[in-house]
């Protein structure tokens, strides 16, 4: 029997090291930070970057990157342990330099960039003093369908001239470069082959950050960008002409799963809090933990968390084995995003007014969790693809096995 869910001693030792680092360094650091508005910017950055230096010194740096890039060279299953520990704190993934969108951009550059591009752009992300962003979504057309992208890049000599409009570009205000997706092909054979990726230095003339989009979790760095006659040198094209869609998809596979790993940590925190509160809150002759209505919420959350972990581990296993992981990542992304929302919601319910207040982290977690259901592939897009693959599997094989995890049972 090859199925074994125990961690090898070195992975368990790593998981515990990450756990202890979060407890001993990141949680106390976060307590000093308070919120970005309450502390001088210079003090805020000093505390954050000191934590990064401590992570580097502790060997907890770039868990997703190969050792030759200064990383820990972990596989995706091992990453699941690391991310699920790190994301029990707010800044943990950032401190270890494995946060979105830089993590996905690092994977993208590692896979698609030329040696010169890697040296110039990937190197500085890995060193941890620069950040990046990924610019694809546009206000005028459905982000769910990148074949509709209107931002154009036209070759003029040895430069591309770009005009267009992007929004919700996370991290753009802090980034020193962007990976930009723009339309370069007029009539491609496949609609998916219309777009190309580019690396844009920030600041650049023609890259105009016009506002920060205020969201239900505040103004935390999602920018609207108007692009006017931006000139990009030809050597900054990323991958081949027309490969922008594939580049985006390649980026999104592991990046979506990394989100799931972090969401598991958040869901686990919400369930911990739900149980803890139910054991101390007394009403109508007994503790909440003794009420069947509350037990159902705890049971549903426990079952969902278990399913979420199994799905993420299996999808990570498939990526590590270089097996086709498209279906598994898609199902995991949909399931974990929805479970996260349900579990936090139940935890708020059990906390009553306290859960609605900002005295616990639940309200903040709930605001953040909502975007998980439509960003990086909306629920309905994943369901559409999952259904298409299930129907195709049934047509081709007479059963849906390959579209349902292709498991040996
Ligand atoms: C916090 C946050 C951070 C983000 N960061 C980035 C970033 O860094 N870079 C970037 O490029 N983008 C980013 N985005 C944008 C994100 O990727 C898009 O929101 C997402 O791709 C969906 O596109 P849209 O918002 O245009 O929704 P639309 O495509 O307009 O879809 C709206 C809704 O329509 C429905 N729908 C759409 N198509 C179908 C269909 N075929 N069948 C059934 N229903 C459908 C779904 O319910 C969907 O939620 C971010 C968004 C948020 C909220």
């Amino acid at each position: 029997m090859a199925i074994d869910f125990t961690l090898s001693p070195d992975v368990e030792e790593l998981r515990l090291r990450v756990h202890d680092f979060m407890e001993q360094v990141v949680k106390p650091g976060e307590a000093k930070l308070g919120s970005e508005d309450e502390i001088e910017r210079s003090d805020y950055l000093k505390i954050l970057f000191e934590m990064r230096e401590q992570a580097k010194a502790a060997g907890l740096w770039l868990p997703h990157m190969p050792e030759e890039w200064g990383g820990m060279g972990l596989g995706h299953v091992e990453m699941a342990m690391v991310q699920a520990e790190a994301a029990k704190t707010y800044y943990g993934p950032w401190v270890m330099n494995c946060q979105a969108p830089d993590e996905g951009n690092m994977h993208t550059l590692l896979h698609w960039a030329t040696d010169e591009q890697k040296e110039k752009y990937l190197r500085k992300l890995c060193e941890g003093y620069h950040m990046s962003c990924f610019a694809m979504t546009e206000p005028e057309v459905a982000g769910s369908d990148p074949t509709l992208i209107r931002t154009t890049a036209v070759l003029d000599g040895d430069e591309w001239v770009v005009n267009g409009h992007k929004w919700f570009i996370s991290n753009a205000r802090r980034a020193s470069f962007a990976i930009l997706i723009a339309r370069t092909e007029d009539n491609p054979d496949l609609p998916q082959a219309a777009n190309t990726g580019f690396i844009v230095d920030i600041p650049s003339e023609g890259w105009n950050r016009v506002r920060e989009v205020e969201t239900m979790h505040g103004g935390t760095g999602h920018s609207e960008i108007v692009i006017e006659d931006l000139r990009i040198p030809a050597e900054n094209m990323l991958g081949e002409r027309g490969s922008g869609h594939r580049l985006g998809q390649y980026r999104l596979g592991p990046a979506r799963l990394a989100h799931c790993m972090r969401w598991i940590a958040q869901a686990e925190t919400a369930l911990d809090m739900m149980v803890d509160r139910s054991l101390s809150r007394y009403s109508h002759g007994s503790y909440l933990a003794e009420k069947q209505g509350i037990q159902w919420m705890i049971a549903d959350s426990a079952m969902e968390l278990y399913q979420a972990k199994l799905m993420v581990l299996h999808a990570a296993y498939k990526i590590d084995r270089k097996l086709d992981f498209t279906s598994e990542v898609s199902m995991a992304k949909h399931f974990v995003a929805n479970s996260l929302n349900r579990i936090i919601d139940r935890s708020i319910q059990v906390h009553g007014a306290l859960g609605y207040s900002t005295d616990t982290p639940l309200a903040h977690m709930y605001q953040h969790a909502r975007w998980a259901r439509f960003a990086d592939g909306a629920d309905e897009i994943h369901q559409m693809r999952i259904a298409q693959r299930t129907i195709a599997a049934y047509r081709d094989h007479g059963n849906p096995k390959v579209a349902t995890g292709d498991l040996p049972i």
Side-chain angles (χ1 to χ4, degrees):
M1 274 295 287
I3 297 173
D4 182 355
F5 284 97
T6 54
L7 296 183
S8 65
D10 49 331
V11 178
E12 176 59 7
E13 187 265 338
L14 170 64
R15 190 186 69 76
L16 288 173
R17 271 203 304 133
V18 176
H19 175 86
D20 291 348
F21 187 81
M22 296 303 139
E23 291 296 321
Q24 289 157 19
V25 177
V26 179
K27 284 188 182 171
E30 287 182 351
K32 278 193 245 163
L33 284 173
S35 90
E36 222 171 320
D37 310 327
E38 294 163 1
I39 182 170
E40 286 290 327
R41 182 90 188 132
S42 55
D43 293 338
Y44 183 81
L45 292 176
K46 185 165 174 278
I47 295 170
L48 280 180
F49 280 96
E50 271 172 10
M51 288 196 280
R52 274 200 158 179
E53 290 307 321
Q54 284 176 275
K56 268 188 205 170
L60 300 176
W61 186 247
L62 293 171
H64 57 294
M65 289 299 284
E67 285 170 16
E68 61 266 30
W69 284 94
M72 296 164 70
L74 300 184
H76 289 81
V77 171
E78 293 161 324
M79 273 298 292
M81 318 299 157
V82 170
Q83 289 275 19
E85 286 297 339
K88 286 187 180 147
T89 61
Y90 187 70
Y91 283 104
W94 188 87
V95 169
M96 294 180 70
N97 200 2
C98 58
Q99 74 293 345
D102 289 331
E103 184 209 26
N105 287 348
M106 288 186 225
H107 280 301
T108 307
L109 292 171
L110 190 64
H111 187 78
W112 293 88
T114 61
D115 287 346
E116 292 74 24
Q117 289 170 342
K118 282 183 192 165
E119 219 31 69
K120 187 167 173 195
Y121 296 101
L122 180 57
R123 180 73 64 201
K124 58 184 178 186
L125 282 190
C126 292
E127 286 168 355
Y129 299 106
H130 291 265
M131 288 185 259
S132 62
C133 61
F134 187 79
M136 184 156 87
T137 306
E138 303 181 353
E140 294 83 6
V141 291
S144 305
D145 183 355
T147 66
L148 303 174
I149 282 176
R150 288 189 188 165
T151 296
T152 55
V154 178
L155 196 56
D156 178 25
D158 56 3
E159 288 180 326
W160 290 89
V161 182
V162 186
N163 284 282
H165 191 186
K166 301 283 177 184
W167 80 335
F168 268 93
I169 309 310
S170 305
N171 227 20
R173 69 176 171 178
R174 305 181 190 97
S176 58
F177 69 92
I179 295 180
L180 169 77
I181 305 295
R183 172 175 292 270
T184 52
E185 314 306 313
D186 276 341
N187 291 305
D189 291 341
L190 285 174
Q192 289 84 348
N195 302 328
T196 302
F198 296 93
I199 304 175
V200 181
D201 289 303
I202 302 176
S204 273
E205 200 176 325
W207 173 273
N208 304 309
R209 190 164 58 81
V210 292
R211 68 165 174 145
E212 290 301 292
V213 184
E214 185 83 21
T215 71
M216 63 190 276
H217 67 253
T220 55
H222 311 293
S223 309
E224 180 172 345
I225 313 283
V226 172
I227 305 173
E228 283 172 323
D229 293 331
L230 167 72
R231 300 189 81 87
I232 305 177
E235 67 264 23
N236 275 27
M237 189 170 85
L238 187 57
E240 296 153 20
R241 268 182 88 142
S243 68
H245 185 77
R246 280 192 291 133
L247 185 144
Q249 291 304 306
Y250 179 85
R251 177 185 184 281
L252 280 174
R256 277 178 180 143
L257 201 63
H259 273 315
C260 293
M261 295 165 189
R262 293 186 285 264
W263 294 337
I264 282 176
Q266 293 284 296
E268 197 152 44
T269 301
L271 178 56
D272 285 352
M273 293 177 67
M274 192 190 314
V275 176
D276 194 60
R277 183 71 176 170
S278 73
L279 287 168
S280 63
R281 198 67 165 171
Y282 189 87
S283 168
H284 292 96
S286 64
Y287 288 103
L288 295 185
E290 293 164 50
K291 318 277 184 199
Q292 193 175 46
I294 302 296
Q295 289 173 351
W296 284 349
M297 284 195 256
I298 293 172
D300 287 345
S301 304
M303 288 188 286
E304 286 182 32
L305 192 55
Y306 176 47
Q307 292 169 76
K309 287 182 179 181
L310 287 177
M311 289 173 95
V312 167
L313 284 175
H314 186 235
Y317 160 94
K318 290 198 91 166
I319 301 181
D320 281 347
R321 296 284 172 115
K322 307 214 179 326
L323 301 169
D324 181 9
F325 57 80
T326 327
S327 249
E328 288 73 16
V329 169
S330 193
M331 290 191 279
K333 195 273 167 180
H334 183 287
F335 185 81
V336 183
N338 280 272
S339 289
L340 174 70
N341 277 273
R342 287 192 292 265
I343 295 172
I344 297 173
D345 182 62
R346 292 183 197 120
S347 192
I348 289 173
Q349 188 70 13
V350 171
H351 281 76
L354 175 63
Y356 195 69
S357 78
T358 52
D359 288 358
T360 82
L362 287 169
H364 190 233
M365 286 159 64
Y366 201 40
Q367 287 166 318
H368 273 274
R370 188 59 187 85
W371 68 263
R373 289 191 47 218
F374 57 85
D376 279 4
D379 281 357
E380 295 77 8
I381 305 297
H382 286 292
Q383 285 168 294
M384 178 175 80
R385 298 280 179 234
I386 292 164
Q388 285 167 349
R389 284 188 285 261
T390 307
I391 294 164
Y394 183 81
R395 280 213 185 106
D396 294 347
H397 307 287
N399 63 63
K401 182 172 176 289
V402 293
T404 53
D406 203 12
L407 292 160
I409 50 170

